[in-house]
Amino acid sequence: MASAELNNTTIPSVTKSITQVKINQFESCGILERENIHNSPELAQRRLGTTYTLASGRMSVAFASESLRKFFGADVFNHTGTVNLKFLRPVKEGDTITVGGSVNSRQEVENGTMVIVDLYCENQNGDKTAIGQGTAIVS
Amino acid sequence: MAEAKLPELDYDKLEIGEELGTYEYLLTEEILESFRASVEDPDAVFPTIGVKHDATALAMCYQDNIGGVNAGNEMEFHNPPIPGKKITVTGRVHDKYLRRDKPYLVIEATAIDEDGRLLEKMRTYQMKKPDEVGKKWQAQS
């Protein structure tokens, strides 16, 4: 579990296999039942010009959140955590996504020390699918 | 009675700061379990990531016939939502701009529960020319 002392420390890595079943299950969390580029191959073809649907970028946000929660501890991350990701490359069925990262810096804030973590997501080919940062405030 | 048809989303007419209204829903155990299974995380406590509060707010205001691709997300986690409690979401257009000749729309939402607990804030950067995805990536698949 992180403390304010740790610099350049790597965060626990998580690896996830992407399947259309899981993509559809993620989309089923929505409160509006609607087709989109994640659950409809036809709509993905029409709007994106791809022969595949895309996994929502928010799935990667969830993966990164898990990694950060394991690093900071649930109590800290679930109440002070942030995730900020920029998506670089489509994620689709058959991909395996690994989240990793390391502590970049710390800064003193009103209610403690904000620990800033550089994040990345990469696929089975080592291609980056997302980059960004996550933070949490430790006391 | 027929449902009122939503106005079609016109990117050029969207205004920065435009309110996307407020809606509420009941967070169920089912949503939580679906979310946990979909991301293979039995300890996940923010199934609201999967509800996509900001995109839902937009979809409740406009019929988007062009769609978009998620180019980025920013999320703040304040308090885990509690299944069985109602969540109220307020959405807004945060920004829109052109980058490398592609239009982007930035939407955001804040969620609180029925007890007034702030749950999360999120922001999504949508690239509103989704056919660029196929042009760039399909051949590489």
Side-chain angles (χ1 to χ4, degrees):
Chain A
M1 205 171 296
S3 74
E5 302 303 317
L6 302 170
N7 275 338
N8 297 315
T9 303
T10 56
I11 65 174
S13 179
V14 299
T15 297
K16 307 287 182 179
S17 297
I18 306 298
T19 67
Q20 190 61 52
V21 168
K22 288 179 204 168
I23 291 172
N24 292 348
Q25 201 162 24
F26 187 87
E27 296 307 308
S28 76
C29 297
I31 62 170
L32 299 177
E33 284 190 25
R34 52 190 186 130
E35 286 190 336
N36 57 36
I37 58 173
H38 312 297
N39 60 20
S40 170
E42 293 77 24
L43 197 64
Q45 166 69 44
R46 201 158 68 239
R47 288 200 174 162
L48 307 178
T50 58
T51 55
Y52 49 84
T53 63
L54 303 188
S56 172
R58 300 173 202 250
M59 292 184 79
S60 293
V61 171
F63 303 157
S65 299
E66 179 183 348
S67 185
L68 290 165
R69 190 186 70 237
K70 288 175 175 174
F71 179 64
F72 287 109
D75 209 41
V76 166
F77 186 74
N78 290 341
H79 294 279
T80 71
T82 72
V83 173
N84 182 341
L85 285 180
K86 177 181 173 182
F87 304 118
L88 306 177
R89 180 183 286 262
V91 173
K92 59 190 185 299
E93 181 179 32
D95 285 346
T96 301
I97 300 300
T98 298
V99 178
S102 59
V103 174
N104 172 306
S105 58
R106 305 164 285 152
Q107 64 184 61
E108 296 305 310
V109 294
E110 188 180 330
N111 45 345
T113 302
M114 179 182 287
V115 179
I116 300 167
V117 175
D118 289 331
L119 289 168
Y120 67 87
C121 299
E122 66 181 26
N123 65 21
Q124 64 279 5
N125 300 322
D127 299 316
K128 293 287 187 290
T129 58
I131 55 172
Q133 288 190 324
T135 71
I137 299 172
V138 301
S139 46
Chain B
M1 185 183 294
E3 282 185 12
K5 200 175 172 187
L6 292 175
E8 189 170 337
L9 181 73
D10 184 334
Y11 177 86
D12 292 330
K13 290 183 180 171
L14 283 172
E15 294 195 3
I16 296 171
E18 178 179 331
E19 299 296 331
L20 297 175
T22 298
Y23 63 91
E24 67 173 37
Y25 69 99
L26 179 68
L27 181 69
T28 63
E29 285 283 354
E30 186 182 20
I31 293 173
L32 177 59
E33 292 311 315
S34 284
F35 179 78
R36 284 176 167 174
S38 71
V39 298
E40 294 185 318
D41 182 2
D43 298 319
V45 293
F46 283 92
T48 42
I49 298 173
V51 181
K52 306 184 187 181
H53 286 156
D54 44 12
T56 299
L58 185 68
M60 286 189 171
C61 291
Y62 293 103
Q63 176 65 39
D64 187 351
N65 294 323
I66 295 178
V69 174
N70 189 344
N73 277 127
E74 297 170 2
M75 289 205 67
E76 294 179 11
F77 302 106
H78 292 270
N79 286 288
I82 299 170
K85 289 196 180 282
K86 281 186 191 162
I87 294 177
T88 300
V89 179
T90 302
R92 187 173 165 272
V93 174
H94 174 72
D95 199 4
K96 65 177 193 178
Y97 52 86
L98 285 177
R99 179 164 291 161
R100 295 179 188 167
D101 296 324
K102 291 191 274 290
Y104 287 80
L105 176 66
V106 187
I107 51 177
E108 61 185 18
T110 299
I112 61 172
D113 75 3
E114 61 185 55
D115 298 321
R117 292 164 71 239
L118 174 62
L119 303 177
E120 68 176 40
K121 295 183 181 180
M122 64 164 54
R123 192 173 281 168
T124 299
Y125 293 74
Q126 288 189 348
M127 194 274 284
K128 300 301 282 181
K129 204 168 182 300
D131 59 332
E132 292 291 320
V133 174
K135 287 177 189 172
K136 182 171 182 181
W137 298 108
Q138 176 61 39
Q140 299 183 37
S141 306

